[in-house]
Amino acid sequence: MAGRPREFDRDAALEAAMLLFWRKGFAGASMNDLCDAMGVRSPSLYAAFESKEALYLAAFQHYATTEGQAVWDKLADGATARAGVENLLLAAAGNLPKSRTAPAGCMVALSAVSDEWPASITREVRKVRLELLDSLCARLAAAVASGELPGATDVAALSRFYLSVFQGMAIQAKDGATQADLKGAAEAAMAAWPGDGG
Amino acid sequence: MAGRPREFDRDAALEAAMLLFWRKGFAGASMNDLCDAMGVRSPSLYAAFESKEALYLAAFQHYATTEGQAVWDKLADGATARAGVENLLLAAAGNLPKSRTAPAGCMVALSAVSDEWPASITREVRKVRLELLDSLCARLAAAVASGELPGATDVAALSRFYLSVFQGMAIQAKDGATQADLKGAAEAAMAAWPGDGG
DNA sequence: GATATTCTGTGTCGATCATTACAGAATAGG
DNA sequence: CCTATTCTGTAATGATCGACACAGAATATC
Protein backbone atom coordinates (compact mmCIF):
# COMPACT_ATOMS: atom_id res chain seq x y z
CA MET A 1 0.00 0.00 0.00
CA ALA A 2 1.35 3.39 -0.99
CA GLY A 3 1.35 6.54 1.14
CA ARG A 4 3.09 7.92 4.17
CA PRO A 5 3.06 5.39 7.01
CA ARG A 6 1.15 6.10 10.23
CA GLU A 7 3.44 7.38 12.97
CA PHE A 8 1.40 6.27 15.98
CA ASP A 9 0.36 2.86 17.30
CA ARG A 10 -3.33 2.46 16.60
CA ASP A 11 -3.90 -0.08 19.38
CA ALA A 12 -2.04 2.00 21.95
CA ALA A 13 -4.06 5.05 20.94
CA LEU A 14 -7.29 3.08 21.24
CA GLU A 15 -6.26 1.87 24.67
CA ALA A 16 -5.62 5.47 25.75
CA ALA A 17 -9.00 6.54 24.38
CA MET A 18 -10.66 3.68 26.24
CA LEU A 19 -9.12 4.76 29.53
CA LEU A 20 -10.25 8.35 29.06
CA PHE A 21 -13.80 7.42 28.01
CA TRP A 22 -13.94 4.96 30.89
CA ARG A 23 -13.09 7.73 33.33
CA LYS A 24 -14.95 10.70 31.87
CA GLY A 25 -17.74 9.24 29.77
CA PHE A 26 -18.59 10.20 26.19
CA ALA A 27 -19.43 13.87 26.54
CA GLY A 28 -16.88 14.42 29.29
CA ALA A 29 -13.96 13.42 27.08
CA SER A 30 -13.50 16.15 24.48
CA MET A 31 -11.60 15.60 21.25
CA ASN A 32 -8.91 17.85 22.68
CA ASP A 33 -8.59 15.62 25.75
CA LEU A 34 -8.55 12.56 23.54
CA CYS A 35 -5.87 13.96 21.24
CA ASP A 36 -3.69 14.74 24.24
CA ALA A 37 -4.23 11.35 25.85
CA MET A 38 -3.70 9.48 22.59
CA GLY A 39 -0.73 11.56 21.50
CA VAL A 40 -2.31 12.17 18.12
CA ARG A 41 -3.42 15.30 16.24
CA SER A 42 -7.07 15.46 15.37
CA PRO A 43 -6.78 14.98 11.57
CA SER A 44 -4.82 11.76 12.17
CA LEU A 45 -7.39 10.69 14.72
CA TYR A 46 -10.28 11.25 12.32
CA ALA A 47 -8.41 9.44 9.54
CA ALA A 48 -7.94 6.43 11.80
CA PHE A 49 -11.27 6.34 13.64
CA GLU A 50 -13.74 8.32 11.51
CA SER A 51 -15.56 10.24 14.25
CA LYS A 52 -15.84 10.66 18.00
CA GLU A 53 -18.87 8.39 18.02
CA ALA A 54 -17.06 5.66 16.08
CA LEU A 55 -14.02 6.08 18.32
CA TYR A 56 -16.16 5.57 21.38
CA LEU A 57 -17.73 2.45 19.91
CA ALA A 58 -14.27 1.07 19.09
CA ALA A 59 -13.04 1.88 22.61
CA PHE A 60 -16.15 0.31 24.09
CA GLN A 61 -15.66 -2.87 22.10
CA HIS A 62 -12.04 -2.92 23.19
CA TYR A 63 -13.17 -2.62 26.81
CA ALA A 64 -15.78 -5.32 26.46
CA THR A 65 -13.35 -7.79 24.92
CA THR A 66 -10.54 -7.16 27.40
CA GLU A 67 -11.43 -5.70 30.82
CA GLY A 68 -15.03 -6.83 30.72
CA GLN A 69 -14.35 -10.27 29.32
CA ALA A 70 -11.76 -11.00 32.01
CA VAL A 71 -14.41 -10.57 34.70
CA TRP A 72 -17.34 -12.23 32.97
CA ASP A 73 -15.28 -15.26 31.95
CA LYS A 74 -15.33 -16.13 35.64
CA LEU A 75 -18.99 -17.04 35.27
CA ALA A 76 -17.85 -20.18 33.46
CA ASP A 77 -15.25 -20.94 36.12
CA GLY A 78 -16.05 -23.53 38.78
CA ALA A 79 -17.81 -26.87 38.83
CA THR A 80 -21.23 -25.42 39.62
CA ALA A 81 -23.27 -22.43 38.52
CA ARG A 82 -23.18 -21.24 42.09
CA ALA A 83 -19.38 -21.23 42.02
CA GLY A 84 -19.46 -19.46 38.66
CA VAL A 85 -21.68 -16.65 39.91
CA GLU A 86 -19.64 -16.34 43.08
CA ASN A 87 -16.42 -16.17 41.07
CA LEU A 88 -17.98 -13.51 38.86
CA LEU A 89 -19.01 -11.31 41.77
CA LEU A 90 -15.70 -11.75 43.58
CA ALA A 91 -13.80 -10.88 40.41
CA ALA A 92 -15.99 -7.80 40.06
CA ALA A 93 -15.20 -6.84 43.66
CA GLY A 94 -11.52 -7.11 42.81
CA ASN A 95 -11.68 -5.21 39.53
CA LEU A 96 -14.27 -2.47 39.97
CA PRO A 97 -12.51 -0.22 42.49
CA LYS A 98 -10.01 2.28 41.15
CA SER A 99 -6.51 0.86 40.83
CA ARG A 100 -3.10 2.14 39.82
CA THR A 101 -3.83 1.29 36.21
CA ALA A 102 -7.59 1.43 35.82
CA PRO A 103 -10.39 3.89 36.62
CA ALA A 104 -13.17 2.88 38.99
CA GLY A 105 -16.37 1.33 37.71
CA CYS A 106 -17.32 -0.50 34.54
CA MET A 107 -17.82 0.96 31.08
CA VAL A 108 -20.51 -1.57 30.28
CA ALA A 109 -22.51 -1.07 33.46
CA LEU A 110 -22.22 2.71 33.72
CA SER A 111 -22.25 3.98 30.14
CA ALA A 112 -25.32 5.61 28.63
CA VAL A 113 -27.43 5.69 31.78
CA SER A 114 -28.78 9.07 30.69
CA ASP A 115 -30.27 10.20 27.39
CA GLU A 116 -27.43 12.57 26.62
CA TRP A 117 -25.56 9.88 24.73
CA PRO A 118 -25.74 9.37 20.97
CA ALA A 119 -28.40 6.85 20.03
CA SER A 120 -25.97 4.47 18.34
CA ILE A 121 -23.92 4.23 21.54
CA THR A 122 -26.96 3.81 23.76
CA ARG A 123 -28.12 1.00 21.51
CA GLU A 124 -24.79 -0.80 21.55
CA VAL A 125 -24.28 -0.42 25.30
CA ARG A 126 -27.76 -1.70 26.03
CA LYS A 127 -27.15 -4.64 23.73
CA VAL A 128 -24.01 -5.62 25.59
CA ARG A 129 -25.73 -5.22 28.96
CA LEU A 130 -28.53 -7.49 27.78
CA GLU A 131 -25.90 -10.00 26.65
CA LEU A 132 -24.63 -10.08 30.21
CA LEU A 133 -28.16 -10.86 31.33
CA ASP A 134 -28.38 -13.58 28.71
CA SER A 135 -25.13 -15.18 29.78
CA LEU A 136 -26.37 -15.31 33.37
CA CYS A 137 -29.66 -16.81 32.19
CA ALA A 138 -27.82 -19.44 30.16
CA ARG A 139 -25.59 -20.46 33.07
CA LEU A 140 -28.54 -20.70 35.45
CA ALA A 141 -30.74 -22.52 32.97
CA ALA A 142 -27.97 -25.07 32.52
CA ALA A 143 -27.85 -25.46 36.29
CA VAL A 144 -31.59 -26.17 36.31
CA ALA A 145 -31.14 -28.71 33.53
CA SER A 146 -28.32 -30.42 35.39
CA GLY A 147 -30.32 -30.58 38.58
CA GLU A 148 -28.09 -28.17 40.49
CA LEU A 149 -31.05 -25.81 40.78
CA PRO A 150 -34.69 -26.81 41.40
CA GLY A 151 -36.91 -27.04 38.36
CA ALA A 152 -39.14 -24.33 39.77
CA THR A 153 -36.31 -21.77 39.80
CA ASP A 154 -37.22 -18.44 38.21
CA VAL A 155 -34.10 -18.22 36.08
CA ALA A 156 -34.91 -14.83 34.59
CA ALA A 157 -35.57 -13.23 37.96
CA LEU A 158 -32.47 -14.76 39.54
CA SER A 159 -30.36 -13.57 36.59
CA ARG A 160 -31.71 -10.04 36.84
CA PHE A 161 -30.99 -10.10 40.52
CA TYR A 162 -27.34 -11.07 40.16
CA LEU A 163 -26.90 -8.62 37.29
CA SER A 164 -28.29 -5.86 39.48
CA VAL A 165 -25.78 -6.71 42.20
CA PHE A 166 -22.94 -6.42 39.70
CA GLN A 167 -24.25 -3.13 38.34
CA GLY A 168 -24.82 -1.67 41.79
CA MET A 169 -21.30 -2.66 42.78
CA ALA A 170 -20.02 -0.67 39.80
CA ILE A 171 -21.83 2.45 41.04
CA GLN A 172 -20.46 2.00 44.54
CA ALA A 173 -16.96 1.55 43.16
CA LYS A 174 -17.37 4.96 41.51
CA ASP A 175 -18.29 6.32 44.93
CA GLY A 176 -15.09 4.98 46.41
CA ALA A 177 -16.05 1.56 47.73
CA THR A 178 -13.01 -0.65 48.36
CA GLN A 179 -12.41 -4.24 47.27
CA ALA A 180 -13.27 -5.35 50.80
CA ASP A 181 -16.52 -3.34 50.74
CA LEU A 182 -17.60 -4.95 47.49
CA LYS A 183 -16.45 -8.40 48.54
CA GLY A 184 -18.82 -8.15 51.50
CA ALA A 185 -21.71 -7.21 49.25
CA ALA A 186 -20.87 -10.07 46.88
CA GLU A 187 -20.82 -12.60 49.69
CA ALA A 188 -24.13 -11.30 51.03
CA ALA A 189 -25.58 -11.72 47.55
CA MET A 190 -24.54 -15.37 47.42
CA ALA A 191 -26.77 -16.05 50.41
CA ALA A 192 -29.71 -15.61 48.04
CA TRP A 193 -28.74 -18.75 46.16
CA PRO A 194 -31.75 -21.08 46.08
CA GLY A 195 -31.47 -23.82 48.65
CA ASP A 196 -28.81 -22.13 50.76
CA GLY A 197 -29.68 -21.85 54.44
CA GLY A 198 -29.23 -18.44 56.06
CA MET B 1 -40.40 43.91 48.56
CA ALA B 2 -40.32 46.24 45.59
CA GLY B 3 -39.82 45.31 41.94
CA ARG B 4 -41.68 43.68 39.11
CA PRO B 5 -43.23 40.39 40.24
CA ARG B 6 -42.05 37.10 38.73
CA GLU B 7 -44.37 35.88 35.99
CA PHE B 8 -43.64 32.17 36.27
CA ASP B 9 -44.17 29.62 39.04
CA ARG B 10 -40.76 28.87 40.50
CA ASP B 11 -41.79 25.45 41.84
CA ALA B 12 -43.39 24.39 38.57
CA ALA B 13 -40.27 25.50 36.69
CA LEU B 14 -38.07 23.55 39.10
CA GLU B 15 -40.25 20.49 38.62
CA ALA B 16 -39.86 20.80 34.84
CA ALA B 17 -36.10 21.17 35.20
CA MET B 18 -36.01 18.12 37.42
CA LEU B 19 -37.82 16.02 34.84
CA LEU B 20 -35.47 17.10 32.09
CA PHE B 21 -32.29 16.56 34.15
CA TRP B 22 -33.68 13.21 35.28
CA ARG B 23 -34.10 12.12 31.70
CA LYS B 24 -31.05 13.67 30.02
CA GLY B 25 -28.50 14.17 32.78
CA PHE B 26 -26.57 17.36 33.48
CA ALA B 27 -24.63 17.82 30.25
CA GLY B 28 -27.45 16.39 28.14
CA ALA B 29 -29.89 19.06 29.19
CA SER B 30 -28.78 22.35 27.62
CA MET B 31 -29.91 25.72 28.88
CA ASN B 32 -31.95 26.01 25.71
CA ASP B 33 -33.72 22.74 26.46
CA LEU B 34 -34.26 23.83 30.04
CA CYS B 35 -35.67 27.22 29.04
CA ASP B 36 -38.11 25.52 26.69
CA ALA B 37 -39.17 22.91 29.23
CA MET B 38 -39.50 25.45 32.02
CA GLY B 39 -41.22 28.06 29.89
CA VAL B 40 -38.76 30.72 31.00
CA ARG B 41 -36.24 32.93 29.18
CA SER B 42 -32.66 32.48 30.21
CA PRO B 43 -32.14 35.81 32.04
CA SER B 44 -35.17 35.04 34.23
CA LEU B 45 -33.82 31.56 34.79
CA TYR B 46 -30.43 32.87 35.87
CA ALA B 47 -32.06 35.45 38.12
CA ALA B 48 -34.08 32.74 39.85
CA PHE B 49 -31.51 29.92 39.99
CA GLU B 50 -28.09 31.56 39.62
CA SER B 51 -26.42 29.07 37.28
CA LYS B 52 -26.94 25.76 35.54
CA GLU B 53 -24.97 24.03 38.26
CA ALA B 54 -27.07 25.58 41.02
CA LEU B 55 -30.24 24.76 39.09
CA TYR B 56 -29.20 21.13 38.89
CA LEU B 57 -28.47 21.01 42.60
CA ALA B 58 -31.90 22.51 43.33
CA ALA B 59 -33.59 20.03 40.98
CA PHE B 60 -31.64 17.19 42.55
CA GLN B 61 -32.70 18.21 46.04
CA HIS B 62 -36.27 18.46 44.81
CA TYR B 63 -36.02 14.94 43.44
CA ALA B 64 -34.46 13.57 46.61
CA THR B 65 -37.15 15.06 48.83
CA THR B 66 -40.09 13.98 46.66
CA GLU B 67 -39.59 11.05 44.26
CA GLY B 68 -36.68 9.58 46.16
CA GLN B 69 -38.14 10.07 49.60
CA ALA B 70 -41.38 8.34 48.62
CA VAL B 71 -39.47 5.16 47.85
CA TRP B 72 -36.97 5.24 50.68
CA ASP B 73 -39.63 5.98 53.28
CA LYS B 74 -40.76 2.41 52.68
CA LEU B 75 -37.66 1.22 54.49
CA ALA B 76 -39.33 2.33 57.73
CA ASP B 77 -42.60 0.61 56.79
CA GLY B 78 -43.38 -2.78 58.28
CA ALA B 79 -42.95 -4.39 61.67
CA THR B 80 -39.53 -5.85 60.88
CA ALA B 81 -36.39 -4.69 59.10
CA ARG B 82 -36.92 -7.52 56.67
CA ALA B 83 -40.33 -6.16 55.78
CA GLY B 84 -38.87 -2.68 55.49
CA VAL B 85 -36.19 -3.74 53.02
CA GLU B 86 -38.69 -5.78 51.06
CA ASN B 87 -41.09 -2.84 50.91
CA LEU B 88 -38.24 -0.62 49.74
CA LEU B 89 -37.23 -2.94 46.91
CA LEU B 90 -40.82 -3.55 45.83
CA ALA B 91 -41.49 0.18 45.81
CA ALA B 92 -38.37 0.62 43.70
CA ALA B 93 -39.62 -2.04 41.29
CA GLY B 94 -42.85 -0.10 40.99
CA ASN B 95 -41.27 3.33 40.57
CA LEU B 96 -38.09 2.84 38.56
CA PRO B 97 -39.52 1.84 35.18
CA LYS B 98 -40.63 4.62 32.88
CA SER B 99 -44.24 5.69 33.43
CA ARG B 100 -46.64 8.14 31.88
CA THR B 101 -45.41 10.86 34.20
CA ALA B 102 -41.84 9.95 35.09
CA PRO B 103 -38.65 8.99 33.23
CA ALA B 104 -37.04 5.63 33.89
CA GLY B 105 -34.33 5.24 36.51
CA CYS B 106 -33.36 7.22 39.58
CA MET B 107 -31.58 10.57 39.70
CA VAL B 108 -29.81 9.64 42.90
CA ALA B 109 -28.58 6.25 41.72
CA LEU B 110 -27.61 7.22 38.17
CA SER B 111 -26.29 10.77 38.40
CA ALA B 112 -22.58 11.55 38.25
CA VAL B 113 -21.37 8.04 37.48
CA SER B 114 -18.73 9.54 35.18
CA ASP B 115 -16.22 12.30 35.79
CA GLU B 116 -17.80 14.66 33.29
CA TRP B 117 -19.98 16.20 35.97
CA PRO B 118 -19.09 19.35 37.88
CA ALA B 119 -17.31 18.54 41.12
CA SER B 120 -19.93 20.18 43.31
CA ILE B 121 -22.64 17.96 41.84
CA THR B 122 -20.54 14.81 42.09
CA ARG B 123 -19.91 15.63 45.74
CA GLU B 124 -23.57 16.21 46.54
CA VAL B 125 -24.79 13.14 44.66
CA ARG B 126 -22.22 10.92 46.34
CA LYS B 127 -23.25 12.35 49.71
CA VAL B 128 -26.90 11.46 49.14
CA ARG B 129 -25.98 7.98 47.91
CA LEU B 130 -23.93 7.42 51.05
CA GLU B 131 -26.92 8.62 53.09
CA LEU B 132 -28.95 5.84 51.52
CA LEU B 133 -26.27 3.40 52.63
CA ASP B 134 -26.37 4.90 56.12
CA SER B 135 -30.14 4.59 56.37
CA LEU B 136 -29.90 0.91 55.42
CA CYS B 137 -27.14 0.41 57.98
CA ALA B 138 -29.24 2.11 60.65
CA ARG B 139 -32.29 -0.03 59.96
CA LEU B 140 -30.27 -3.25 59.97
CA ALA B 141 -28.29 -2.30 63.05
CA ALA B 142 -31.58 -1.69 64.85
CA ALA B 143 -32.71 -5.13 63.75
CA VAL B 144 -29.57 -6.63 65.25
CA ALA B 145 -30.18 -4.72 68.48
CA SER B 146 -33.78 -5.92 68.65
CA GLY B 147 -32.78 -9.49 68.06
CA GLU B 148 -34.43 -9.75 64.64
CA LEU B 149 -31.00 -10.34 63.11
CA PRO B 150 -28.18 -12.42 64.63
CA GLY B 151 -25.53 -10.52 66.53
CA ALA B 152 -22.90 -11.77 64.09
CA THR B 153 -24.61 -10.09 61.13
CA ASP B 154 -22.26 -8.01 58.96
CA VAL B 155 -24.53 -4.99 58.83
CA ALA B 156 -22.27 -2.94 56.55
CA ALA B 157 -21.93 -5.72 53.99
CA LEU B 158 -25.63 -6.52 54.03
CA SER B 159 -26.46 -2.83 53.59
CA ARG B 160 -24.06 -2.48 50.66
CA PHE B 161 -25.62 -5.56 49.13
CA TYR B 162 -29.19 -4.26 49.27
CA LEU B 163 -28.06 -0.85 48.08
CA SER B 164 -26.38 -2.48 45.10
CA VAL B 165 -29.60 -4.30 44.23
CA PHE B 166 -31.48 -1.02 44.24
CA GLN B 167 -28.85 0.72 42.12
CA GLY B 168 -28.66 -2.14 39.65
CA MET B 169 -32.43 -2.12 39.32
CA ALA B 170 -32.19 1.56 38.37
CA ILE B 171 -29.80 0.74 35.53
CA GLN B 172 -32.01 -2.06 34.29
CA ALA B 173 -35.03 0.24 34.39
CA LYS B 174 -33.10 2.55 32.05
CA ASP B 175 -32.60 -0.43 29.76
CA GLY B 176 -36.34 -1.04 29.65
CA ALA B 177 -36.94 -3.53 32.44
CA THR B 178 -40.60 -3.70 33.46
CA GLN B 179 -42.12 -3.57 36.93
CA ALA B 180 -42.54 -7.34 36.79
CA ASP B 181 -38.89 -7.80 35.79
CA LEU B 182 -37.69 -5.73 38.71
CA LYS B 183 -40.16 -7.28 41.13
CA GLY B 184 -38.62 -10.65 40.33
CA ALA B 185 -35.14 -9.36 41.04
CA ALA B 186 -36.32 -7.78 44.30
CA GLU B 187 -37.89 -11.01 45.47
CA ALA B 188 -34.77 -12.95 44.60
CA ALA B 189 -32.76 -10.46 46.63
CA MET B 190 -34.92 -11.04 49.70
CA ALA B 191 -33.83 -14.67 49.71
CA ALA B 192 -30.44 -13.43 50.90
CA TRP B 193 -31.96 -12.33 54.21
CA PRO B 194 -29.99 -13.95 57.03
CA GLY B 195 -31.80 -16.95 58.44
CA ASP B 196 -34.14 -17.44 55.51
CA GLY B 197 -34.12 -20.94 54.10
CA GLY B 198 -33.76 -21.32 50.34
C1' DG C 1 -47.18 60.33 41.35
C1' DA C 2 -42.14 59.90 41.69
C1' DT C 3 -38.52 56.68 42.43
C1' DA C 4 -36.17 52.57 43.48
C1' DT C 5 -36.30 47.88 42.47
C1' DT C 6 -37.06 43.62 40.14
C1' DC C 7 -38.55 41.13 36.35
C1' DT C 8 -38.95 40.15 30.97
C1' DG C 9 -37.34 39.88 26.09
C1' DT C 10 -33.90 40.57 22.48
C1' DG C 11 -29.70 39.92 21.21
C1' DT C 12 -25.08 38.68 21.86
C1' DC C 13 -20.73 37.60 24.30
C1' DG C 14 -16.36 34.65 24.41
C1' DA C 15 -15.39 29.84 25.00
C1' DT C 16 -15.51 25.40 23.59
C1' DC C 17 -17.25 21.84 20.83
C1' DA C 18 -16.54 18.26 16.81
C1' DT C 19 -14.89 18.43 12.41
C1' DT C 20 -12.16 19.54 8.34
C1' DA C 21 -9.25 22.51 4.44
C1' DC C 22 -5.04 22.96 3.20
C1' DA C 23 -0.22 22.47 2.50
C1' DG C 24 3.91 20.05 3.49
C1' DA C 25 6.21 15.56 4.42
C1' DA C 26 6.97 10.73 3.83
C1' DT C 27 6.36 6.45 1.72
C1' DA C 28 5.19 2.77 -2.37
C1' DG C 29 5.00 1.44 -7.05
C1' DG C 30 6.50 2.28 -11.72
C1' DC D 1 13.60 9.67 -10.38
C1' DC D 2 8.59 10.54 -10.70
C1' DT D 3 4.05 10.31 -9.38
C1' DA D 4 0.20 8.75 -6.76
C1' DT D 5 -1.10 8.09 -2.19
C1' DT D 6 -1.37 8.53 2.63
C1' DC D 7 -0.10 10.64 6.77
C1' DT D 8 1.12 14.98 9.77
C1' DG D 9 0.65 19.74 11.51
C1' DT D 10 -1.42 24.35 11.44
C1' DA D 11 -5.23 26.68 11.49
C1' DA D 12 -9.80 27.51 10.82
C1' DT D 13 -14.82 26.17 10.14
C1' DG D 14 -19.81 26.66 11.77
C1' DA D 15 -22.42 25.24 15.65
C1' DT D 16 -23.56 25.20 20.24
C1' DC D 17 -22.54 25.97 24.81
C1' DG D 18 -23.40 28.74 29.41
C1' DA D 19 -23.97 33.28 30.74
C1' DC D 20 -25.10 38.15 30.45
C1' DA D 21 -25.71 43.47 28.76
C1' DC D 22 -29.11 46.27 27.87
C1' DA D 23 -33.47 48.49 27.56
C1' DG D 24 -38.25 48.35 28.48
C1' DA D 25 -42.05 46.93 31.58
C1' DA D 26 -44.22 46.21 35.95
C1' DT D 27 -44.58 46.50 40.78
C1' DA D 28 -43.74 48.46 45.93
C1' DT D 29 -42.70 52.14 48.82
C1' DC D 30 -42.58 56.81 49.85
Side-chain angles (χ1 to χ4, degrees), chain B residues 182-193:
Chain B
L182 298 185
K183 184 159 175 282
E187 285 166 351
M190 290 316 298
W193 193 264

Side-chain angles (χ1 to χ4, degrees), chain B residues 3 10-11 40 58 82 94 106-107 115 127 131 133 163 178 192 195:
Chain B
R10 194 184 190 277
D11 288 341
V40 175
R82 189 191 191 287
C106 168
M107 272 187 90
D115 294 357
K127 200 190 84 181
E131 285 170 6
L133 185 58
L163 178 61
T178 66

